[in-house]
Amino acid sequence: MNGKSALTQAQRHHHVDSVTMSGVICSWWENEEQPVPVKTEPSADSGAIAPSSASSVGDGSKLSPVYSMDVQSEALWGLTGMESGNINLVTIRHEEGKCHHVLRNHTAPVSVLQITPQETGVISGSWDKSVLEWDLNTGSVVRSYGGHSSQISSTSFRPIYKTTCSNNDGDTDTDKSTTDKDTSTTSNTDQPSSSSSQVFEEKDDNIFLTTSFDGQCFIWDRREPESAVRKLGLPDKTPPWCLSACWSADGSKVYMGRRNGQVDEWDYAAQKLIRSFRMPANSGPVSCVASMPNGKHIICASNDNVRLWNTELESSFNIYPEGAERPAKTSNTIPFTILPGHHGGCISHILIDPTCRYMITTSGNRGWDGVSTNACLFYDIASIV
């Protein structure tokens, strides 16, 4: 991604003028289905090893689309979701693509994979409507999260983003940049990090959300039983559809993309709909949302464009539920900026670097309308002071 290779004229034809450079592929491997190991047992006649009744299922040469993927923080290993419902654990930095273990439990394609913040487990979601928690040390399922009535579309752990800290007496909050003298008696491990990249990267290991195609969003706490799940329902006049949801930078809100071209903003603590952001007419469904580390902007991807939305700006694009308190004044300023690059297709994923220096977006339409929308674009993020 840091190379200097330029796109050819034919390649640039499908993109905006600002897209001029191309990435360089470093390595690749085929995503193969792994056969079930054959159990052997001694033969009663000669003592030789003979195959048991549990014979091999599947063909190792069968290739599978990559339905989902997640990579360890140092890119030592990764997980890929298979069409059969299996999850392959492969090495990446060394012996690229070599499968070392297969997690078998799902009965349909694995659409969601999210490694836990401690990187000792993984949360998986599938088209079989199940959400499973795996222990990567043993390769076994440690918990199942039920309740969804449709295939799982996304999952995300709640971020921990502390911009303030209390003094020794705990009376007032002070900005973390001014606490060097006031908290001199506090150990360094108890203070929030002064590096914004480290703070933004920190996640809550216990709380995460899952969404499904029928529009449901469940918030789980791994310390509580399944009956204690928090459910964010469908607002009035909202079609049952949700492909993506994300947390705000401080973990206090949840943003959900909808089929009707809106992004719903929910209060995590009160489990209440705050407002909705309405995309311009004919924008299409919102297929992916992501929050920026500044706690002010979110990325909204719909069929026509990718937008950088200012959530602090009150405008006519904001829709409030009935009975909710509305602002006294609204601005005529457009609350979003269009990020050039994509032009149609479904934005399947948005990745924002923890240091907030670049953003990666992927899109495609499975070849239904050609391959011009099949692209992975890299954006430089420039801070504005």
Side-chain angles (χ1 to χ4, degrees), residues 235-236 264-267 271-276 319-321 324:
D236 295 337
D264 295 340
E265 182 184 53
W266 288 79
D267 187 290
Q271 303 177 44
K272 180 179 65 175
L273 177 65
I274 302 175
R275 57 184 170 171
S276 297
I319 303 175
Y320 287 84

Side-chain angles (χ1 to χ4, degrees), residues 28-302:
W28 65 276
W29 58 86
E30 294 179 335
N31 193 41
E32 294 185 350
E33 294 278 7
Q34 302 297 321
V36 177
V38 179
K39 296 182 180 180
T40 58
E41 56 186 15
S43 174
D45 298 334
S46 58
I49 302 298
S52 67
S53 57
S55 58
S56 174
V57 178
D59 183 9
S61 61
K62 179 182 177 181
L63 300 183
S64 168
V66 182
Y67 281 82
S68 58
M69 181 172 63
D70 200 9
V71 179
Q72 188 252 359
S73 59
E74 296 180 347
L76 295 176
W77 50 269
L79 298 164
T80 58
M82 316 295 288
E83 185 177 14
S84 63
N86 297 335
I87 303 171
N88 287 359
L89 191 153
V90 299
T91 46
I92 297 177
R93 185 175 293 182
H94 309 286
E95 296 182 311
E96 298 144 337
K98 181 179 180 180
C99 182
H100 292 264
H101 189 74
V102 181
L103 307 177
R104 307 178 191 272
N105 193 291
H106 290 294
T107 58
V110 180
S111 53
V112 168
L113 285 173
Q114 180 73 56
I115 298 174
T116 60
Q118 299 297 327
E119 298 187 337
T120 58
V122 63
I123 303 296
S124 65
S126 171
W127 289 14
D128 61 10
K129 310 173 187 178
S130 65
V131 178
L132 302 179
E133 178 184 347
W134 302 80
D135 186 345
L136 292 179
N137 293 318
T138 61
S140 60
V141 176
V142 296
R143 183 174 176 181
S144 176
Y145 301 88
H148 284 289
S149 56
S150 181
Q151 64 192 60
I152 311 302
S153 56
S154 70
T155 183
S156 177
F157 278 90
R158 182 171 181 255
I160 302 175
Y161 188 76
K162 300 178 181 178
T163 56
T164 60
C165 63
S166 60
N167 58 18
N168 293 337
D169 297 331
D171 296 333
T172 59
D173 289 340
T174 54
D175 187 82
K176 65 181 180 181
S177 61
T178 61
T179 56
D180 293 338
K181 296 181 180 179
D182 297 338
T183 58
S184 58
T185 58
T186 306
S187 63
N188 294 333
T189 57
D190 295 334
Q191 298 181 14
S193 171
S194 60
S195 173
S196 59
S197 63
Q198 294 178 358
V199 174
F200 176 64
E201 200 173 7
E202 189 176 356
K203 303 287 184 181
D204 191 324
D205 195 48
N206 295 308
I207 301 174
F208 67 97
L209 64 80
T210 57
T211 62
S212 55
F213 268 73
D214 58 2
Q216 291 181 321
C217 179
F218 292 173
I219 298 179
W220 309 90
D221 192 327
R222 299 167 67 190
R223 299 163 296 186
E224 297 180 353
E226 184 177 315
S227 58
V229 60
R230 301 185 181 189
K231 299 181 181 181
L232 306 184
L234 281 171
D236 295 337
K237 301 179 181 179
T238 301
W241 191 87
C242 180
L243 268 187
S244 176
C246 71
W247 296 90
S248 61
D250 59 359
S252 64
K253 299 181 182 67
V254 175
Y255 297 99
M256 303 171 60
R258 297 295 188 183
R259 186 181 183 88
N260 58 356
Q262 295 182 4
V263 176
D264 295 340
E265 182 184 53
W266 288 79
D267 187 290
Y268 161 68
Q271 303 177 44
K272 180 179 65 175
L273 177 65
I274 302 175
R275 57 184 170 171
S276 297
F277 305 112
R278 175 178 54 85
M279 302 295 117
N282 302 320
S283 293
V286 179
S287 60
C288 196
V289 290
S291 61
M292 297 291 289
N294 61 5
K296 180 180 178 181
H297 295 89
I298 60 174
I299 307 295
C300 310
S302 51

